[in-house]
C-alpha cells in the first residue's frame, strides 16, 4: 500500500493503539463477555488479539474490510421510553477508533470557540468553565437542543461535508461506509421499538459508534461557522446549545437564529415552552447545561454546581443496585457490589471535581452507598438496627 492516511491506519501498531483505547477499563467486566453479531466479545477478541489485529491489517491494506451491522441495546429512560445504543462489533470499533486517532487532529474546521464536544481542548469541564465565565458578562441564557439530532442527520449532506472538509481522501470510503451503518434487530420486538423511536433506515447517524461524535461535529461545522461569523456567544456540545445574551430580547433572538440556521440542515429545535428542552433563564435563575448548573452567587457572579435534577439521576443509578434480582442479573456478589459502589463513588467524585458543591455530591454518594447496602442486608433477613457497631462496620454501614 502506498503512503497514505489509510496506510497509517492499517498498520498493526495503530490498530493495537486503537484496541487499547477501545478495551481500556472494560476487560474483566461482565460486559466484556457480551457477544456481538460477528460472534466475538471483547474478551474473546483479546484472547486472539495479535491474530485478530493481523486480519484487520490485511483486510484494510487489501481494501476488503467492511463494517458489520450494529447491535441494538435498549436503555430505559425515566419517562418509560427507551433510548437505543447501537454497538459495532469489536473489530469495527477498533477500526473506527484508529480512523479517529489518525484524522481528528488534522481537521482545522473542528477548532472553533463554539464546539466543545469530542474535540481537543474540549470536554464538559471546559464547556462549563467557558459558559460560567461568559455568563458573568452576558447573564441571560437561551438553552436548547436539536430535536432527535442523530436520527435526523441527512446522510447526503453529511457525505458532502466529508468530501469538502476531510482532506484525507484515502479514508473517505471508510467514513462513508460508517455513515451508512444500520441496526440489525435481534428480535421482532426490537423492530417495533426502533420504529416507535422514529429511526428510519437510510437516514441519520447511529449513536454508539466511535465515529458518531465526529460526524456530529462535521455535520454542524457550518452552524458553528455561522455563529462565529455573526459574533454570537454560543457554546455547543454535540447537539446541546447554550446561547448567552445581555438582555431578554437578545436571548429570545437566538431562537430565530437557531431555527433559521438549523433549517438549512433539515434540523429543528423544540419550541420555547415550559414542557420542552428550550428555555430562557433570567440572570437570577440557575441555567442547566450538560448535567450541571450555572448558578448565581452574588454581585453578578456565577459558579458551576451539580443541580438537584442531576443528583436525583445519580441517586437512581445507585439505587438500582439495591435489588437482589438486579445484582444477580449483573453477577454482583457482596464483594463485587462493594467494589462497584466504591468505583462509582470515586468516578462521580472525579467527574464533578470542577463543581463548587463537589463535597455535597461526595457526601450524597456515600450515604446512597450505605443505603444500598442496608436495603440488600434487609432483603437477606439481616436486622440491621440490631447489629453491633462492629457488625455495621463490617457491612460497610459505618
Amino acid at each position: 500500500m502506498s503512503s497514505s492516511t489509510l496506510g497509517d491506519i492499517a498498520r498493526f501498531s495503530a490498530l493495537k493503539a486503537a484496541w487499547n483505547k477501545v478495551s481500556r477499563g472494560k476487560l474483566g467486566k461482565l460486559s466484556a463477555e457480551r457477544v456481538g453479531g460477528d460472534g466475538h466479545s471483547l474478551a474473546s477478541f483479546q484472547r486472539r488479539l495479535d491474530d485478530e489485529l493481523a486480519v484487520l491489517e490485511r483486510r484494510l491494506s487489501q481494501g476488503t474490510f467492511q463494517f458489520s451491522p450494529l447491535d441494538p441495546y435498549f436503555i430505559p429512560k425515566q419517562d418509560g421510553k427507551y433510548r437505543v445504543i447501537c454497538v459495532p462489533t469489536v473489530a469495527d470499533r477498533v477500526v473506527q477508533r484508529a480512523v479517529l486517532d489518525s484524522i481528528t487532529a488534522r481537521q482545522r474546521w473542528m477548532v472553533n470557540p463554539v464546539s466543545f464536544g469530542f474535540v481537543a481542548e474540549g470536554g464538559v469541564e471546559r464547556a462549563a468553565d467557558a459558559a460560567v465565565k461568559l455568563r458573568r458578562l452576558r447573564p441571560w441564557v437561551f438553552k436548547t437542543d436539536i430535536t432527535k439530532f442523530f436520527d435526523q442527520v441527512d446522510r447526503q449532506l453529511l457525505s458532502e461535508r466529508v468530501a469538502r472538509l476531510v482532506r484525507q481522501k484515502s479514508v473517505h470510503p471508510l467514513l462513508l461506509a460508517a455513515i451508512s451503518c444500520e441496526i440489525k434487530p435481534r428480535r421482532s420486538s426490537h423492530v417495533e421499538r426502533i420504529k416507535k423511536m422514529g429511526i428510519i433506515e437510510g437516514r441519520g447517524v447511529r449513536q454508539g459508534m466511535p465515529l458518531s461524535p465526529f460526524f456530529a461535529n462535521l455535520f454542524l461545522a457550518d452552524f458553528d461557522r455561522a455563529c462565529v461569523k455573526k459574533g454570537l456567544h454560543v457554546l455547543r456540545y454535540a447537539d446541546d446549545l447554550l446561547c448567552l445574551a445581555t438582555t431578554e430580547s437578545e436571548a429570545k433572538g437566538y431562537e430565530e437564529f437557531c431555527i433559521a440556521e438549523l433549517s438549512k440542515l433539515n434540523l429543528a429545535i423544540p419550541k420555547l415552552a415550559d414542557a420542552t428542552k428550550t428555555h430562557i433563564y433570567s440572570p437570577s435563575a440557575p441555567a442547566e447545561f450538560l448535567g450541571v448548573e450555572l448558578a448565581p452567587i452574588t454581585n453578578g457572579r456565577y459558579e458551576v454546581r451539580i443541580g438537584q435534577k442531576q443528583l436525583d439521576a445519580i441517586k437512581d443509578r445507585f439505587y438500582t443496585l439495591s435489588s437482589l434480582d438486579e445484582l444477580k442479573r449483573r453477577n454482583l456478589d457482596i464483594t463485587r457490589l462493594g467494589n462497584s459502589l466504591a468505583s462509582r463513588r470515586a468516578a462521580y467524585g472525579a467527574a464533578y471535581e470542577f463543581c463548587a458543591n463537589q463535597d455535597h455530591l461526595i457526601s450524597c454518594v456515600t450515604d446512597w452507598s450505605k443505603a444500598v447496602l442496608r436495603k440488600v442486608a434487609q432483603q437477606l433477613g439481616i436486622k440491621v438496627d440490631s447489629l453491633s457497631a462492629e457488625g455495621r462496620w463490617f457491612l460497610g454501614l459505618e
Side-chain angles (χ1 to χ4, degrees):
M1 174 180 290
S2 61
S3 178
S4 66
T5 302
L6 181 57
D8 294 338
I9 292 168
R11 291 194 180 112
F12 186 94
S13 58
L15 295 170
K16 181 68 174 292
W19 158 258
N20 290 336
K21 292 183 179 180
V22 166
S23 62
R24 183 178 299 152
K26 297 176 182 177
L27 293 172
K29 295 184 177 181
L30 185 63
S31 59
E33 301 291 345
R34 187 180 295 137
V35 176
D38 63 347
H40 284 296
S41 64
L42 275 172
S44 67
F45 196 94
Q46 194 271 340
R47 287 191 290 269
R48 289 177 36 85
L49 183 59
D50 286 353
D51 290 340
E52 296 292 348
L53 294 182
V55 169
L56 285 180
E57 182 181 29
R58 183 174 65 253
R59 291 169 63 197
L60 286 166
S61 298
Q62 295 176 350
T64 59
F65 176 84
Q66 291 183 326
F67 291 117
S68 300
L70 304 164
D71 284 329
Y73 289 89
F74 297 92
I75 302 173
K77 300 195 295 185
Q78 291 182 336
D79 59 4
K81 298 180 181 179
Y82 290 86
R83 64 188 293 254
V84 62
I85 299 297
C86 307
V87 182
T89 64
V90 179
D92 288 4
R93 276 176 269 170
V94 170
V95 171
Q96 290 196 27
R97 185 70 250 181
V99 171
L100 277 177
D101 289 346
S102 179
I103 70 172
T104 299
R106 291 184 271 178
Q107 309 307 310
R108 294 181 182 178
W109 53 267
M110 290 182 68
V111 182
N112 66 65
V114 174
S115 178
F116 283 82
F118 314 102
V119 296
E121 305 301 320
V124 173
E125 180 176 353
R126 289 183 180 274
D129 182 61
V132 81
K133 288 178 180 177
L134 276 174
R135 197 178 187 196
R136 291 166 188 163
L137 300 174
R138 312 180 72 82
W140 283 90
V141 175
F142 176 83
K143 163 71 171 62
T144 190
D145 70 357
I146 303 172
T147 303
K148 294 185 178 296
F149 169 67
F150 282 95
D151 296 334
Q152 294 301 317
V153 167
D154 186 313
R155 291 185 180 180
Q156 181 59 41
L157 291 179
L158 180 55
S159 299
E160 291 172 4
R161 279 153 179 72
V162 169
R164 176 163 58 91
L165 295 175
V166 180
R167 296 183 177 181
Q168 295 73 36
K169 304 294 185 183
S170 63
V171 300
H172 283 191
L174 283 176
L175 294 175
L176 297 178
I179 290 171
S180 299
C181 281
E182 296 289 1
I183 305 170
K184 183 178 181 180
R186 295 188 174 191
R187 51 181 72 100
S188 57
S189 61
H190 290 176
V191 176
E192 189 61 28
R193 278 185 185 173
I194 291 169
K195 183 178 180 181
K196 288 182 178 179
M197 290 176 183
I199 296 175
I200 301 172
E201 187 171 336
R203 186 173 187 83
V205 170
R206 305 298 170 236
Q207 293 187 72
M209 300 187 298
L211 279 169
S212 299
F214 175 82
F215 290 142
N217 285 331
L218 180 62
F219 194 68
L220 293 170
D222 287 349
F223 174 84
D224 296 347
R225 189 178 296 109
C227 294
V228 174
K229 185 177 180 180
K230 289 182 175 290
L232 302 179
H233 298 271
V234 179
L235 303 179
R236 181 180 64 79
Y237 196 102
D239 56 344
D240 283 305
L241 302 174
L242 191 81
C243 311
L244 298 108
T246 55
T247 65
E248 183 177 9
S249 61
E250 184 184 350
K252 289 181 178 178
Y254 275 112
E255 181 180 25
E256 182 179 344
F257 168 79
C258 290
I259 290 172
E261 288 299 322
L262 292 172
S263 67
K264 298 175 183 178
L265 303 173
N266 301 321
L267 297 173
I269 61 172
K271 292 182 178 179
L272 182 58
D274 291 339
T276 72
K277 293 183 178 180
T278 299
H279 299 282
I280 288 180
Y281 298 98
S282 69
S284 61
E288 294 183 18
F289 185 49
L290 303 177
V292 297
E293 291 181 344
L294 314 177
I297 313 174
T298 55
N299 300 324
R301 295 173 58 239
Y302 294 85
E303 65 182 11
V304 180
R305 299 177 61 85
I306 310 164
Q308 189 58 50
K309 182 178 179 181
Q310 186 68 1
L311 286 171
D312 290 342
I314 296 171
K315 179 181 178 180
D316 289 342
R317 294 181 196 126
F318 270 84
Y319 274 47
T320 58
L321 299 180
S322 61
S323 162
L324 285 179
D325 289 340
E326 179 64 17
L327 294 177
K328 184 176 181 180
R329 188 185 72 81
R330 299 190 186 201
N331 195 31
L332 294 176
D333 58 19
I334 187 61
T335 301
R336 293 192 180 105
L337 172 59
N339 291 339
S340 178
L341 291 171
S343 176
R344 290 185 180 209
R345 290 196 301 270
Y348 281 117
Y352 293 96
E353 186 177 13
F354 62 98
C355 292
N357 59 342
Q358 184 214 24
D359 289 346
H360 177 61
L361 170 67
I362 292 175
S363 175
C364 286
V365 296
T366 300
D367 290 343
W368 297 334
S369 294
K370 291 179 181 179
V372 167
L373 292 170
R374 177 181 288 270
K375 289 176 179 291
V376 171
Q378 289 172 341
Q379 291 174 69
L380 294 172
I382 300 173
K383 296 181 179 180
V384 176
D385 293 334
S386 301
L387 292 174
S388 64
E390 290 79 5
R392 291 194 297 274
W393 169 84
F394 181 77
L395 290 178
L397 301 174
E398 290 290 348

